Amino acid sequence: MGETTTLHTGGRTVVANFTISLDGYVTGPGGEADMGWIGRHAVSDQAREILTRIVNGATTALLGRKNYEGFGGFWPAVGRDENADPRDRAYGRWLDEVEKVVFSTTLTEANWTGARIVDGDPAEVVRQLRGRNGGDIVIQNSMSLIRALLAADEVDRICMMLCPELSGGGAVLFDKGFPSTSWSLTNVTSTDTGAVVLTYDRLRATAPTADVAGEN
């Protein structure tokens, strides 16, 4: 039998970063814009430090259209705001400058520096990105992309913030249709708002190697 490893053989690590409630929702009952229960947890010192750690060394961000438009209208200004928290400024600058791959069937051109629009299978795009030199590939709260890449077994690391909130409804991330996979808990961090950030790395089987006997 082969050994297990937490790294994808392609070299680059694909990281899915998202927030989830105790009852398993990633939005509120009011729809995608209903994110009020997340707010106080996202701005804790620990959450900011973890986000900084996630993007350090990451050279590609994967975004859906809605996050691309929402992030683009907010974070570049934060990156230039001298009064903003230094960690928020650093994240804003990173997001402004990093390679951004935007999945959309409706956008035809990207107005944000470093962004390009793709209309294709997310798993195939990720496989192509793995074949190029670079750092980590981070999916920032784009749930449709995370679902698609989990279904294709193209996620290497899950970093999820479990918030002590009952949303009472909304969209769920973990639905039917995912393959059976195994994960290793590699980090647990609690925040001063009571959230817990859990980091899981994908366990993959490596091909067995034959022992070769040498001559004396």
Side-chain angles (χ1 to χ4, degrees), residues 130-145:
R130 288 189 190 276
R132 303 174 185 172
N133 291 330
D136 290 352
I137 302 166
V138 178
I139 320 158
Q140 281 294 82
N141 289 293
S142 291
M143 297 305 161
S144 61
L145 292 179

Side-chain angles (χ1 to χ4, degrees), residues 75-184:
W75 281 109
V78 174
R80 298 187 294 268
D81 185 356
E82 295 183 356
N83 295 317
D85 184 284
R87 294 160 296 187
D88 293 343
R89 289 204 311 272
Y91 177 69
R93 289 194 299 269
W94 173 82
L95 195 57
D96 198 25
E97 297 167 1
V98 75
E99 175 192 27
K100 293 170 281 290
V101 181
V102 184
F103 292 82
S104 175
T105 59
T106 57
L107 294 176
T108 57
E109 61 180 5
N111 298 319
W112 196 353
T113 302
R116 62 185 176 95
I117 308 297
V118 297
D119 177 10
D121 177 17
E124 180 57 33
V125 173
V126 164
R127 294 184 193 109
Q128 293 172 4
L129 289 169
R130 288 189 190 276
R132 303 174 185 172
N133 291 330
D136 290 352
I137 302 166
V138 178
I139 320 158
Q140 281 294 82
N141 289 293
S142 291
M143 297 305 161
S144 61
L145 292 179
I146 293 174
R147 290 188 192 97
L149 293 172
L150 282 173
D153 198 14
E154 288 291 344
V155 175
D156 306 312
R157 178 168 296 149
I158 289 174
C159 187
M160 67 178 189
M161 179 183 291
L162 178 63
C163 295
E165 310 280 350
L166 296 177
S167 173
V172 297
L173 173 62
F174 298 109
D175 204 346
K176 298 177 182 178
F178 294 120
S180 177
T181 54
S182 296
W183 300 78
S184 172

